[in-house]
Amino acid sequence: MNFLLYSSARPSTRCSSLDVPSVVVTSELQVSQGSRAIVFTRRSMEILQQIGTADRMTENGLPWRFGNSYYRGQRVFRMEAPHDADDRFFPMLNIQQQYMEEYLLDACATNALIDLRWGNKVIKVEQEDDFARVEIDTPQGPYTLETEWLVAADGGRSPIRTAMNLQMEGASYEGFFVIADIKIDLPLPTERLAYFDPDWNPGNTILMHREPHGVWRVDYQLPAGETPEQALQPESLKARIDAQLAMIGHAGARWEMDWCSVYSARTLTLPDYVHGRVIFTGDAAHLLPIFGVRGANTAFQDAQSLAWHLAFVAKGLASEKLLGNYSAERVGAAREIIDEAGKSTRFMAPPSRGFRVLRDAVLSLSLSEEFVRPLYHWRTSRPHEYTDSMLNSAGDDNALFRSGPAHGAPPQNIRLSADDFLLDHLGGGFELIYFTEAEAIPEPLQKVVATTRTRGVPLRVIAVGATHPVAGADLCFADTDGHFRRRYGVQASGAAYLLRPDQHVCARWLTLDATRLQAAINAALPQ
């Protein structure tokens, strides 16, 4: 086998789409109990689209783009997430995690390269120079696997991380929050609702989200000194949920508990995600507060990044330096998220008297002063831009572009027709988007593409601008109105973008020649 994935949840099909066999083992016997993650961002949907599960998410989920913050019965801030005609997916989609896991499991079941094993618990890991030896316990008895690479996706309490004595860096915030999913019919829109300093929970914050199937999420902060065990007592849950419903004008409404849990806010990351033959990802690599829908959505970006980095190393298309880049990029992303999430967390749950005085001042001023209201913004999770990645081309024209996705950014989606978008066609390998109205891709560029493919590197050429087939291009988009070119900051033929297998930009040129293309490919696949 090429690698073994030890997962606490959310199996992935990404490495299999790159033709790398894997064994996925999990100690669980079924999908998640309870909703857990419920809000998935546009970028997560774009990633799920690549493995064929986005349509089911869209069919069964609830899309939204507005968030509301309330203080003393007054709406003091309304967030509007960007959305335009070039976006296939809404900024956010609400659906319970267990449904998403079922869709991923169905995708895994259709792929012969994925061997998924329930009830298999990793109990010991030993590393050699070029493989890891993994002892696994099952109801039928223990067995041992040897794997080139072990991916530890075993959750926030990662036994593998603990056994390797690896320490996370960052902060843990005091205080606890209750998540309660209740079955109730409320005549409210699918928008994020935040209530600050309500009478029934003074000084604290309550969040509400609509979920599919008649379920609402109520998320509230506990008073200082109250334990999780006390908070989850039925009488405590009932009193607080009844109080919240009364506050929003639905006193006495009948509801039924669907699922509940307690969490605390933490902003922690490992400083390195690659340790010998063990690679960490998701909550095993970092712990992020859920404010701004960062948990599962960050994990999707981890998985997308790791999949191609690991697959290209496993197939001998790049050296292990590429895995070092995975770690550097995703640690950088985690640290950026920690910085942003820390601001949101300190506003939602002030960790000291000074922060509380500042937060309370904002609350009070927001009743009458417009300028302070943007401070309520919850800094929603967004795709990280790998601006300083070692894979970015040093000799391209990135600095000369005035618009369009820059180094390390994900691509700007483009609506090609009524139900056809650019990202419908991308994913899995490198993509060269070449802007031309000519009959053919220049011969020197075609030779570089052919040589790269001979090495086994998946590379496609997409021609944009011509109204006729372009020799040497795998796909052609006419762009008769120039919209594609404007969104990508392109003025003339001969410009180009090179996208990595995770779709992020690693090079872009106002004019491209064979030497510059070869240099960019070499930079993106370190040997």
Side-chain angles (χ1 to χ4, degrees), residues 114-130:
I114 300 174
D115 180 358
L116 177 61
R117 305 178 184 182
W118 294 97
N120 280 234
K121 181 179 181 180
V122 172
I123 56 175
K124 186 177 182 181
V125 177
E126 296 177 337
Q127 296 199 60
E128 304 294 342
D129 290 341
D130 56 356

Side-chain angles (χ1 to χ4, degrees), residues 5 149-153 269-275 278-286 298-311 313 319-334 384 386 389-391 500 502 524 526:
L5 171 64
W149 300 98
L150 171 63
V151 176
T269 182
L270 288 173
D272 191 345
Y273 295 168
V274 180
H275 294 266
V278 180
I279 307 171
F280 290 87
T281 193
D283 284 355
H286 47 68
T298 300
F300 277 123
Q301 294 174 46
D302 285 349
Q304 184 197 36
S305 175
L306 177 56
W308 87 267
H309 282 83
L310 181 54
V313 171
S319 72
E320 293 179 16
K321 293 179 182 178
L322 197 62
L323 291 177
N325 182 71
Y326 156 74
S327 178
E329 289 185 353
R330 295 311 299 163
V331 169
H384 188 71
Y386 306 124
S389 172
M390 63 177 282
L391 307 189
R500 310 176 341 177
D502 58 3

Side-chain angles (χ1 to χ4, degrees), residues 395-398 400-401 432 434-435 442 445 489-497 508-517:
D396 68 352
D397 299 327
N398 181 64
L400 300 179
F401 276 77
L432 178 64
Y434 188 76
F435 296 86
L445 294 181
V490 171
Q491 301 292 326
S493 294
Y497 277 73
R508 58 179 181 163
W509 305 269
L510 296 176
T511 57
L512 175 62
D513 59 42
T515 300
R516 302 173 92 193
L517 176 59

Side-chain angles (χ1 to χ4, degrees), residues 45-251:
M45 294 296 294
E46 292 170 350
I47 293 170
L48 289 169
Q49 182 183 23
Q50 296 176 56
I51 55 175
T53 60
D55 285 347
R56 294 181 69 185
M57 294 279 285
T58 301
E59 290 167 5
N60 296 291
L62 301 173
W64 60 280
R65 55 183 296 227
F66 298 103
N68 303 283
S69 296
Y70 294 89
Y71 176 57
R72 294 186 179 174
Q74 178 178 326
R75 188 173 73 184
V76 290
F77 181 67
R78 181 166 172 83
M79 179 200 75
E80 180 177 346
H83 184 68
D84 64 36
D86 282 322
D87 292 316
R88 174 178 282 283
F89 303 106
F90 265 70
M92 267 76 69
L93 181 86
N94 284 4
I95 189 170
Q96 293 92 326
Q97 179 176 316
Q98 67 262 38
Y99 297 111
M100 180 268 294
E101 290 182 14
E102 289 179 7
Y103 307 153
L104 288 176
L105 285 167
D106 290 343
C108 288
T110 64
N111 197 308
L113 292 175
I114 300 174
D115 180 358
L116 177 61
R117 305 178 184 182
W118 294 97
N120 280 234
K121 181 179 181 180
V122 172
I123 56 175
K124 186 177 182 181
V125 177
E126 296 177 337
Q127 296 199 60
E128 304 294 342
D129 290 341
D130 56 356
F131 70 94
R133 185 178 299 108
V134 184
E135 292 187 19
I136 299 172
D137 191 26
T138 76
Q140 292 74 37
Y143 68 98
T144 300
L145 283 178
E146 293 182 353
T147 179
E148 292 178 50
W149 300 98
L150 171 63
V151 176
D154 52 339
R157 295 185 177 88
S158 175
I160 295 176
R161 187 183 67 223
T162 300
M164 295 177 67
N165 197 31
L166 299 176
Q167 302 299 314
M168 288 185 163
E169 301 174 350
S172 295
Y173 291 84
E174 294 183 4
F176 295 97
F177 298 79
V178 169
I179 294 175
D181 284 352
I182 61 173
K183 293 182 178 180
I184 187 173
D185 181 19
L186 292 177
L188 300 173
T190 305
E191 298 182 353
R192 181 238 196 199
L193 306 173
Y195 302 88
F196 292 87
D197 192 28
D199 291 340
W200 71 266
N201 197 3
N204 295 326
T205 306
I206 299 92
L207 304 177
M208 292 186 69
H209 276 284
R210 179 190 290 275
E211 303 175 41
H213 311 297
V215 176
W216 276 83
R217 163 74 54 89
V218 181
D219 183 339
Y220 57 86
Q221 188 178 353
L222 295 179
E226 183 168 346
T227 68
E229 292 76 18
Q230 292 170 331
L232 293 180
Q233 291 297 313
E235 58 273 16
S236 174
L237 290 165
K238 184 178 187 309
R240 282 162 168 158
I241 292 170
D242 284 345
Q244 175 63 15
L245 293 175
M247 188 185 75
I248 63 174
H250 295 278

Side-chain angles (χ1 to χ4, degrees), residues 330-385:
R330 295 311 299 163
V331 169
R335 293 195 188 284
E336 179 184 276
I337 293 166
I338 283 171
D339 181 57
E340 291 193 348
K343 297 173 185 176
S344 298
T345 302
R346 289 190 292 273
F347 191 80
M348 303 286 283
S352 68
R353 182 179 180 277
F355 278 112
R356 182 168 293 279
V357 169
L358 180 61
R359 199 278 300 270
D360 290 349
V362 170
L363 293 178
S364 179
L365 283 170
S366 68
L367 292 172
S368 58
E369 304 297 330
E370 181 72 28
F371 77 94
V372 301
R373 292 174 181 174
L375 294 175
Y376 283 92
H377 200 293
W378 54 320
R379 301 176 180 86
T380 313
S381 171
R382 65 178 188 273
H384 188 71
E385 296 188 7

